Amino acid sequence: MMANNPISRRTLLTVLAGSGATALVGCDPGRSPSAAPAAPVPDPLLVEVDGGLGVLRGTDRQTMPHSVATADGLAVFATAPEGADTALWRIDTATGRASARVTLPGRWVPQTVSTTGTTVALTSTAVHVTTGRPDGREVTPVLIADETGVRHRLNLRGNFVPETFTEDLGGLFVLEWLPATAPDRYRVRVVDLATRKPGPLSTRNKVPVPPGAEEEMRGDGRQAVLSPNRRTLYTLYTHQPDHRHTRDLVSGRPGNVHAFVHTLSLGERWAYCIDLPHPFGEAPAGGHAMAITPDGSRLFVADVTSGTVAEISTEDLTVRRTATVPGGTGTAHAAADRDRLVIAADRTVRTLDLTRLGVVADRTVGEPVTGLVFSADGQRLYVGQTDAVSWHDAGSGAELGRVAVPGLVALHGLAGRA
């Protein structure tokens, strides 16, 4: 294939058998039936398949139909109807072991998990922050739970979608859709779980955002990436004509940015937007992708339609440089290691050297790409394709193995390691 390499908001989270075609089965009981041996996958992988999340672990295959994973893939919270109520349990993806089930009163859908992997927010209907807008509603019920049961029950006046938890688990970041009964725009807020009241974030200077200066967005939340230290969430937004950031609203400056990276501090509860230069945001949202280096120092955004790549310093939150590579079409995917950035769209997989941000290899795979993931040691690149996952030598690009994954929707990332 290639001498190339490999996902991560508001994406997250965000992966059956080889020549012997074993089907993924539900987590209830959550194990694949006996069948011809599947090809062993070197690293546990988290995937999305028709019907839910899946874990590929060696030759074992497991699916969780109504579930949500931690950003690092170490744990999954799953649910199942239990009469008029909902059963909730936690699965360790490294071993497949599940916690005891707890019963939640009423019907709930898991929405987001804390970065600690201990706490989950559930709503009555499923709407992810990067996959669409909710139906109109005046009140949003939210349940906060862990392995022991319900911790908080909220009835938020307005139309809210949970995004992630604060680092100390004392708050829940949410998107508030406006107007509540006919939503067409949204803003990011934080709900204090002690008072159960939503409020504005702070600026990067840790100053509370003044009334009337909260950013309202109308575009597409394309993808979310969590920093390796789990303290910052980066979300790519596109199609934001005439958008004005909080800093513009406070200063009175006009705004007209089409794409930016929303930076959210999970510990200090501030937000800051990194503007992306033209032509980011002009082309379809699906043609954009992000990836972060393992040390968390550099964030890359690619627009495959125009062939533009931007490098962002996560220390000073600025675009350091841009580069132009051959353009393409289709849904974009990206992954980065210490030395390389891999960008894919349709059947093209392109590797860039991070020193000069130049193309060092172009390869073509057999089917449209549905995800790129590096192994933890950077030696292998996993490539999701139509109904299959292949893995390749990260240096030479040689294909090392492949397993069939019927119904594969996306290759999300590494799962827990034993």
Side-chain angles (χ1 to χ4, degrees):
M1 177 194 123
M2 65 211 155
N4 316 14
N5 319 10
I7 110 184
S8 161
R9 168 178 168 45
R10 272 183 221 292
T11 243
L12 20 174
L13 302 145
T14 286
V15 206
L16 213 161
S19 55
T22 306
L24 280 173
V25 297
C27 222
D28 199 6
R31 292 288 178 179
S32 52
S34 58
V41 180
D43 300 275
L45 299 176
L46 181 68
V47 300
E48 182 182 351
V49 293
D50 291 337
L53 291 178
V55 175
L56 311 182
R57 189 189 314 103
T59 58
D60 188 28
R61 310 292 182 258
Q62 190 174 20
T63 57
M64 293 72 67
H66 306 288
S67 58
V68 62
T70 56
D72 56 13
L74 292 178
V76 170
F77 275 90
T79 61
E82 193 173 76
D85 298 323
T86 301
L88 172 72
W89 66 100
R90 183 182 184 276
I91 300 149
D92 185 318
T93 58
T95 64
R97 288 194 294 267
S99 68
R101 298 189 179 202
V102 296
T103 300
L104 309 178
R107 289 293 180 86
W108 300 94
V109 179
Q111 193 77 38
T112 187
V113 183
S114 65
T115 58
T116 61
T118 60
T119 309
V120 60
L122 305 97
T123 55
S124 56
T125 57
V127 180
H128 194 268
V129 289
T130 56
T131 56
R133 69 182 60 183
D135 294 331
R137 58 192 176 198
E138 295 182 348
V139 177
T140 303
V142 178
L143 205 66
I144 309 299
D146 59 19
E147 292 181 52
T148 67
V150 178
R151 308 301 297 175
H152 302 275
R153 183 162 189 159
L154 313 174
N155 283 295
L156 304 175
R157 184 158 298 280
N159 197 334
F160 296 87
V161 177
E163 179 175 17
T164 190
F165 288 87
T166 59
E167 191 175 49
D168 61 5
L169 302 182
L172 178 68
F173 293 105
V174 295
L175 298 191
E176 180 184 13
W177 284 83
L178 303 168
T181 56
D184 64 7
R185 63 191 186 278
Y186 50 90
R187 59 184 178 180
V188 181
R189 312 199 90 197
V190 60
V191 177
D192 186 294
L193 295 181
T195 65
R196 304 184 180 186
K197 294 181 179 180
L201 306 181
S202 296
T203 66
R204 188 181 176 190
N205 295 325
K206 305 176 186 179
V207 177
V209 175
E214 291 182 78
E215 297 178 28
E216 296 182 359
M217 295 169 274
R218 299 176 185 269
D220 302 314
R222 164 62 181 142
Q223 182 187 6
V225 174
L226 185 68
S227 63
N229 66 7
R230 306 181 186 180
R231 303 199 66 191
T232 307
L233 185 67
Y234 304 98
T235 303
L236 174 61
Y237 285 93
T238 65
H239 296 165
Q240 301 285 338
D242 302 316
H243 177 76
R244 299 177 71 194
H245 298 310
T246 291
R247 57 183 180 269
D248 300 323
L249 294 167
V250 170
S251 67
R253 293 190 302 264
N256 186 20
V257 59
H258 287 265
F260 59 84
V261 176
H262 186 269
T263 305
L264 185 61
S265 170
L266 306 187
E268 298 178 336
R269 303 190 184 192
W270 56 257
Y272 182 81
C273 292
I274 308 165
D275 289 345
L276 294 169
H278 178 82
F280 285 100
E282 299 284 352
H288 295 69
M290 279 196 308
I292 195 166
T293 53
D295 65 0
S297 65
R298 292 182 288 178
L299 181 70
F300 293 91
V301 184
D303 169 21
V304 298
T305 305
S306 67
T308 309
V309 179
E311 177 185 318
I312 294 171
S313 165
T314 59
E315 180 178 359
D316 54 26
L317 302 183
T318 60
V319 176
R320 287 280 182 87
R321 57 176 172 165
T322 61
T324 302
V325 300
T329 59
T331 301
H333 302 275
D337 69 0
R338 185 180 60 185
D339 304 310
R340 295 162 291 197
L341 171 68
V342 178
I343 304 167
D346 194 21
R347 297 169 58 240
T348 300
V349 181
R350 179 166 291 129
T351 300
L352 282 67
D353 174 79
L354 295 189
T355 301
R356 58 186 184 86
L357 213 55
V359 176
V360 295
D362 262 345
R363 308 294 180 189
T364 301
V365 295
E367 300 288 345
V369 175
T370 59
L372 299 170
V373 175
F374 274 116
S375 62
D377 60 9
Q379 298 301 305
R380 291 171 297 283
L381 173 67
Y382 290 91
V383 181
Q385 299 180 58
T386 302
D387 293 332
V389 173
S390 59
W391 54 96
H392 307 257
D393 182 276
S396 69
E399 184 172 310
L400 305 175
R402 171 183 292 257
V403 292
V405 188
L408 179 69
V409 175
L411 169 62
H412 281 310
L414 297 177
R417 298 180 65 84

